Amino acid sequence: MVISLNNVCFSYAKQSSSPVVNIPSWSLAEGEKCFIHGASGGGKSTLLGLLSGMLTSNTGEITVLGERLDKMSNRQRDKFRADNIGYVFQSFNLIPFLDAIDNIKLANYFSKSLPKPILQQAIENLLTKLNMAEKNCSKPVRDLSIGQQQRIAIARALINKPKLLIVDEPTSSLDQENRDAFMTLLMSMVEAHSISLLFVSHDMSLAPYFDRVEALSSINIAAIDALKDSQGK
Ligand SMILES: Nc1ncnc2c1ncn2[C@@H]1O[C@H](COP(=O)(O)OP(=O)(O)OP(=O)(O)O)[C@@H](O)[C@H]1O
């Protein structure tokens, strides 16, 4: 299994009796492309934070690529994430005043998986594959279009050749044409590099791109409670 969760519970306020994530059991097999959909506030980003080690669970077992994240120190989790997990954020999280190359180099800095000259070449190759014109690779990313920034975010997530790619609905601000282009590109990269994919979104129209589709409320008991709260039940 690429991901395996067992009795995972998480709440932001440690004393709170109502967790945001409460997952008895869930797993992702190697090579799977899984789409988890759920309403806003249901805990999608929180779940991804736990799986990537940016958040730590209160209780339970989180195993990613055979390693227990819940048993690691913060430092070990940061290193594990940099070495093994690609992450595309909702709002890309690029550094606006750096160009594409330097934004991607930063991801490698924390992992140091490639020596400098090889890294430069690998970044250029990846950006070419993602149809980024050379002249746009040396501009601050704040001067690029949203579509170009998305491609840089994909390149940054893939530069360390992750076995697992986690994507937090980066398509929500896009029109349909750009959304389809993003999804097609993402899926072609995932297939070419045999990466396992976990993608979350509220947008059910993305479901046909995936081989496994799940509702967050069927995995996360706390999401059902959040849904009842939002409906005033
Ligand atoms: N840093 C935080 N501190 C306290 N509560 C938070 C924090 N981040 C999120 N929450 C709460 O946790 C719940 C789940 O939020 P989360 O962002 O995981 O949902 P989501 O499904 O990703 O929502 P969206 O689709 O709107 O991004 C919400 O009630 C939210 O208010």
Side-chain angles (χ1 to χ4, degrees):
M1 287 295 158
V2 173
I3 299 174
S4 182
L5 303 180
N6 201 358
N7 290 325
V8 173
C9 228
F10 174 86
S11 53
Y12 282 99
K14 300 283 180 221
Q15 306 307 322
S16 165
S17 58
S18 51
V20 172
V21 167
N22 181 0
I23 300 181
S25 172
W26 189 78
S27 57
L28 181 79
E30 196 175 331
E32 266 188 316
K33 296 194 281 278
C34 180
F35 177 64
I36 296 182
H37 61 92
S40 179
K44 299 185 293 301
S45 300
T46 306
L47 171 60
L48 297 191
L50 290 168
L51 291 172
S52 60
M54 289 186 270
L55 298 171
T56 47
S57 59
N58 305 121
T59 56
E61 294 171 14
I62 302 181
T63 310
V64 178
L65 299 162
E67 304 276 343
R68 283 282 296 273
L69 286 194
D70 56 287
K71 289 204 183 270
M72 290 181 192
S73 66
N74 289 346
R75 207 192 172 93
Q76 286 171 325
R77 268 199 311 274
D78 288 345
K79 172 84 174 118
F80 179 81
R81 178 172 60 247
D83 286 341
N84 296 290
I85 304 175
Y87 201 110
V88 181
F89 295 87
Q90 227 166 10
S91 49
F92 311 144
N93 283 16
L94 298 171
I95 312 279
F97 53 85
L98 295 182
D99 66 18
I101 307 263
D102 284 342
N103 263 286
I104 299 167
K105 274 185 185 163
L106 268 183
N108 191 258
Y109 177 80
F110 294 109
S111 165
K112 294 199 172 62
S113 62
L114 293 173
K116 265 187 186 168
I118 296 175
L119 173 64
Q120 179 77 25
Q121 193 58 56
I123 293 174
E124 287 170 15
N125 292 348
L126 194 50
L127 287 169
T128 307
K129 258 192 221 156
L130 290 163
N131 296 323
M132 280 290 294
E134 211 178 320
K135 66 177 186 326
N136 287 328
C137 294
S138 51
K139 288 181 186 168
V141 297
R142 66 176 165 232
D143 295 342
L144 299 176
S145 73
I146 296 292
Q148 288 161 340
Q149 291 184 35
Q150 271 183 331
R151 280 177 269 157
I152 298 166
I154 297 180
R156 186 185 54 184
L158 296 181
I159 191 63
N160 293 335
K161 301 193 188 315
K163 297 181 191 79
L164 169 65
L165 182 63
I166 290 179
V167 183
D168 192 358
E169 55 181 0
T171 56
S172 49
S173 56
L174 298 183
D175 59 31
Q176 184 160 355
E177 195 180 329
N178 279 310
R179 202 190 56 192
D180 290 345
F182 173 84
M183 290 306 297
T184 305
L185 187 60
L186 183 75
M187 289 308 183
S188 69
M189 297 303 281
V190 164
E191 267 159 38
H193 298 275
S194 306
I195 299 170
S196 308
L197 173 66
L198 178 60
F199 188 112
V200 303
S201 174
H202 66 278
D203 183 357
M204 268 305 282
S205 73
L206 298 174
Y209 287 97
F210 297 84
D211 50 31
R212 179 173 163 200
V213 177
E214 294 205 48
L216 184 68
S217 55
S218 70
I219 303 166
N220 179 17
I221 295 169
I224 305 168
D225 297 337
L227 198 63
K228 281 183 192 157
D229 282 350
S230 72
Q231 292 170 345
K233 288 182 187 166

